[in-house]
Amino acid sequence: MAIAINVRADGESSSKVEQLWDQVAAFEDAPSMRTLGYRPHFTFAIYDSPAIEEETARQAMLRVATSEVQLRIEFRRVRWFVGPPLVLWMEPVDDAALRRWHASVSAAIDPAYCRLHYRPGQWTPHCTLGTRIIDGRRHDAIAFAGSFNRSISVLFDVADCVVFPPVRVVAEQKLPAGVP
């Protein structure tokens, strides 16, 4: 099992992301994000190493969350990771707060234990829309990403630590409203 530290959107604004999940599912062999049974989120770190136990990750998440507030993130672009498989994701307009969170998580647990794409200098702030884009729909998915022309604002209001698969929340911390 893997362990992840995230910030997720539990409120009403998350429905905007979930609607995009449903649109993107048309390019997948199965709807990847709905199947998770988990809310829209940003992942700051994933640990596969047995050296990082649930309690270690839980304590790190709680330390980081203690000094943070809810994040209102605006999105205007859908992008993709080439894969395989192709992955569609939303790019935050301003990622300064997300990068601060990532740096705090990386300071709390040695990034050498973290999956490569989540390490400092490698991590790309993203909110995933679909992870199972089939090759036959690749061009349609990229066209969808390129045609996205609206602004979505989502409130990320809970920090958590999860294990997966399947996703199981180990600990969570509701974030207070305020200015970071």
Side-chain angles (χ1 to χ4, degrees):
M1 284 191 128
I3 302 171
I5 297 175
N6 311 301
V7 64
R8 71 175 195 256
D10 273 4
E12 188 176 307
S13 66
S14 67
S15 67
K16 298 170 188 175
V17 177
E18 292 167 343
Q19 289 170 4
L20 287 171
W21 286 354
D22 295 338
Q23 289 179 277
V24 169
F27 308 121
E28 298 181 294
D29 61 351
S32 61
M33 299 311 292
R34 290 279 187 195
T35 302
L36 283 179
Y38 186 66
R39 305 305 300 259
H41 61 282
F42 284 93
T43 298
F44 299 113
I46 297 176
Y47 307 99
D48 295 305
S49 170
I52 305 302
E53 297 176 346
E54 286 181 27
E55 182 60 19
T56 303
R58 185 182 80 77
Q59 289 297 328
M61 180 277 297
L62 290 172
R63 277 194 308 276
V64 171
T66 297
S67 61
E68 293 292 347
V69 297
Q70 297 175 356
L71 298 172
R72 177 148 311 270
I73 303 293
E74 183 181 1
F75 303 96
R76 293 188 195 143
R77 287 180 57 180
V78 173
R79 309 266 324 257
W80 61 90
F81 295 125
V82 174
L86 184 80
V87 172
L88 291 186
W89 51 279
M90 290 192 309
E91 177 182 54
V93 170
D94 179 2
D95 65 7
L98 293 165
R99 289 195 180 277
R100 183 182 67 247
W101 272 74
H102 184 259
S104 295
V105 170
S106 295
I109 298 177
D110 185 346
Y113 294 109
C114 190
R115 283 188 187 172
L116 181 63
H117 294 303
Y118 292 88
R119 292 180 185 174
Q122 302 290 321
W123 183 68
T124 299
H126 66 282
C127 184
T128 305
L129 298 176
T131 63
R132 298 175 54 110
I133 308 300
I134 55 177
D135 285 340
R137 299 299 312 270
R138 178 183 193 82
H139 296 296
D140 295 332
I142 291 172
F144 170 82
S147 70
F148 185 82
N149 64 353
R150 60 184 186 228
S151 179
I152 293 176
S153 179
V154 179
L155 184 66
F156 291 83
D157 55 349
V158 178
D160 70 14
C161 177
V162 303
V163 295
F164 66 95
V167 175
R168 177 177 54 87
V169 176
V170 173
E172 63 183 19
Q173 176 70 45
K174 291 194 180 289
L175 299 170
V179 179

